[in-house]
Amino acid sequence: LKLPSSPSGGPAPPAHERVPRGSMARRRCGTRALLQWTGLSFALYQPAVIFAWDKDGHEAIGMTTMSALSQDAVAEVKHLMGGRDAVDVAAWAHKVNKKYPWTASLHLQQQPTWACKGVDSSVCADNKCLLKALKHLYGRLVHQQLATIDWGGLSLTDADSVKYLINLIGDLHQPMHLGAEPDDMGRNLMVVFRGEKMSLYDLWDRGITQAVIKDSPGFWWGGWTHVQRTRVEYEKDGAEWKKDGVAMFDRWADETARYLCDNVYKNPVTGHPLADGPKDGRGAVIIDEGLFEVWKREMLSKMLVAGARTAIVLNAVLQHREGEPKLHAGTGMVDIEGEEEASARAPVHGRASDGAHGPHLAQSTGILAAAINLAIFVVIGVVFIQVMRRWQGRDSVLAADKAKHHDGGKKT
């Protein structure tokens, strides 16, 4: 599978930059590569819980983000996350949703009608919607009141706000997160893809991503998530952000809403409404491989752009905070899986303690991986030697038998 052509047409990133960033990504990538190296089926290593745009997709966005951040920004992000990065917190907001269900609305910008005239942000009860949440969180970090949200007694730290921004900017580029109310944002429009029936929302949230991973795991884990793939858009968006600031959130939402109308609700291959397409016996719209290929390319492109734009926003936050007290680490979200451990690791006295996180983790992970590789190499070497000995012994026996028959023939 070739990487879909980026609008920038930029060259591939240098080889040393193609490794997915983040400790979680390194562990996953290394494990899969190890399984493939030993000849085991990739299917043997499947997570018990299937995640897609809300996990695998967000990790891809996070990798792109980390490739675009300045060195100072990378250090600050790791300081805030207790040694982790944008990849490692990919599923954080979804863990928050499970603990506090009302926060799920922060990931969505429901459209009231099928107007197809760009984004309509009028549906936003109590400011609890995607665009208001983005402006509120960015405002918290730069000391500007851009939108107010009642968190119901929850106390967000600066680190929580950064993690939310990382997650929500990704959601802003998932078309169905700006779906229309008449079909419940695509949840009421059923489709069938490769024999599996699901909603249009679920197809975009997990179905396409999982199909790419299943079809081409080497591509997915091969380091395609680099800002160089979307360099032109990154530079253009960065310049526009410097000029227009948070108004870019509305512009990016408008872009997603128009894409949804013109290329999802309308079949981009046939030009006809998707709902009017061929259906199976149960009334679900059939998604063929031609349409899948188009949507796959667009989805991968959107993930790259989302990661680049996340980096633009984080860089802007950190530049705005120059000369001010450092952003606060830790979390105000209690009883969130994994957050207690992260808070315990979070540096409190600035970047002097940063060095104890990333390099140490990478070193210990590398030592473990080297030990595993060495053990497997030894086992394979022993098996190989035994096989060769048996093979050579068999050749010796055959040669002796042949000589015996030859001598016996002479005597007669």
Side-chain angles (χ1 to χ4, degrees):
L1 177 68
K2 294 182 178 179
L3 179 71
S5 300
S6 69
S8 67
H16 69 280
E17 292 181 333
R18 295 178 192 166
V19 179
R21 298 171 184 256
S23 58
M24 181 185 302
R26 285 192 294 270
R27 290 194 295 272
R28 289 186 170 198
C29 187
T31 304
R32 282 164 171 79
L34 187 60
L35 290 175
Q36 291 172 342
W37 181 69
T38 56
L40 297 178
S41 169
F42 175 75
L44 294 178
Y45 185 79
Q46 290 294 331
V49 181
I50 296 297
F51 297 97
W53 193 301
D54 59 348
K55 184 70 167 58
D56 292 322
H58 275 296
E59 284 185 358
I61 293 169
M63 292 176 198
T64 307
T65 297
M66 295 306 294
S67 76
L69 288 176
S70 66
Q71 291 184 351
D72 288 344
V74 169
E76 186 65 20
V77 167
K78 286 184 173 291
H79 157 73
L80 286 172
M81 308 303 173
R84 299 180 296 171
D85 59 26
V87 183
D88 301 310
V89 300
W92 178 82
H94 298 280
K95 294 178 182 178
V96 174
N97 292 348
K98 292 179 181 179
K99 179 66 178 179
Y100 306 102
W102 70 264
T103 62
S105 63
L106 302 179
H107 298 257
L108 306 170
Q109 189 67 53
Q110 188 179 69
Q111 302 299 287
T113 66
W114 302 90
C116 289
K117 296 179 180 178
V119 68
D120 183 337
S121 57
S122 61
V123 179
C124 189
D126 300 322
N127 281 353
K128 294 175 181 177
C129 63
L130 182 53
L131 281 173
K132 291 293 186 182
L134 286 168
K135 294 174 183 178
H136 168 78
L137 294 162
Y138 181 82
R140 290 176 67 104
L141 293 168
V142 299
H143 305 307
Q144 297 176 13
Q145 188 169 334
L146 303 175
T148 58
I149 293 179
D150 180 5
W151 287 89
L154 295 177
S155 178
L156 269 67
T157 65
D158 291 335
D160 291 331
S161 296
V162 169
K163 286 182 284 189
Y164 251 123
L165 280 177
I166 290 170
N167 281 254
L168 296 185
I169 295 175
D171 290 334
L172 187 63
H173 294 79
Q174 205 278 57
M176 301 314 302
H177 281 235
L178 282 83
E181 188 277 334
D183 71 346
D184 192 18
M185 307 185 79
R187 296 187 182 93
N188 294 337
L189 179 54
M190 302 307 296
V191 301
V192 59
F193 173 59
R194 295 183 177 178
E196 181 182 356
K197 185 177 180 181
M198 65 189 80
S199 70
L200 181 63
Y201 182 96
D202 287 333
L203 177 65
W204 270 90
D205 217 40
R206 66 174 180 86
I208 299 175
T209 307
Q210 292 303 310
V212 175
I213 295 174
K214 181 180 179 181
D215 292 349
S216 307
F219 162 76
W220 184 265
W221 305 107
W224 61 276
T225 49
H226 196 281
V227 72
Q228 186 65 35
R229 297 291 188 181
T230 185
R231 174 62 61 181
V232 170
E233 288 75 12
Y234 174 60
E235 293 176 353
K236 173 176 169 287
D237 288 335
E240 291 180 346
W241 180 275
K242 288 180 179 179
K243 180 169 62 76
D244 298 328
V246 293
M248 294 302 296
F249 287 141
D250 297 280
R251 200 171 303 170
W252 295 340
D254 190 77
E255 173 189 293
T256 300
R258 291 181 184 276
Y259 175 83
L260 172 65
C261 188
D262 295 338
N263 295 278
V264 179
Y265 283 138
K266 182 195 295 183
N267 187 323
V269 177
T270 66
H272 299 137
L274 184 70
D276 294 343
K279 299 178 177 62
D280 69 353
R282 299 172 294 177
V285 177
I286 298 172
I287 306 299
D288 60 30
E289 291 297 320
L291 179 55
F292 163 70
E293 288 295 328
V294 173
W295 280 352
K296 176 185 71 177
R297 289 193 296 270
E298 292 296 330
M299 182 200 73
L300 296 174
S301 177
K302 288 184 176 299
M303 288 178 178
L304 290 171
V305 170
R309 289 173 173 174
T310 302
I312 289 170
V313 174
L314 295 185
N315 280 329
V317 168
L318 298 176
Q319 289 169 7
H320 191 279
R321 295 285 299 239
E322 287 182 359
E324 299 183 15
K326 293 184 183 298
L327 295 170
H328 294 164
T331 181
M333 296 291 187
V334 297
D335 299 328
I336 302 298
E337 180 185 353
E339 290 308 293
E340 295 81 1
E341 179 183 355
S343 296
R345 294 198 313 265
V348 179
H349 301 295
R351 292 182 187 168
S353 57
D354 284 354
H357 299 291
H360 175 73
L361 180 59
Q363 182 181 13
S364 60
T365 302
I367 293 173
L368 177 60
I372 293 173
N373 285 340
L374 178 60
I376 293 175
F377 178 79
V378 170
V379 171
I380 292 176
V382 171
V383 172
F384 177 77
I385 291 172
Q386 293 299 323
V387 170
M388 291 304 297
R389 283 179 176 174
R390 288 195 175 190
W391 188 267
Q392 290 172 352
R394 181 185 174 192
D395 286 348
S396 299
V397 172
L398 291 175
D401 288 342
K402 184 176 181 181
K404 188 181 296 183
H405 286 300
H406 180 69
D407 292 342
K410 284 184 178 180
K411 290 179 181 180
T412 60

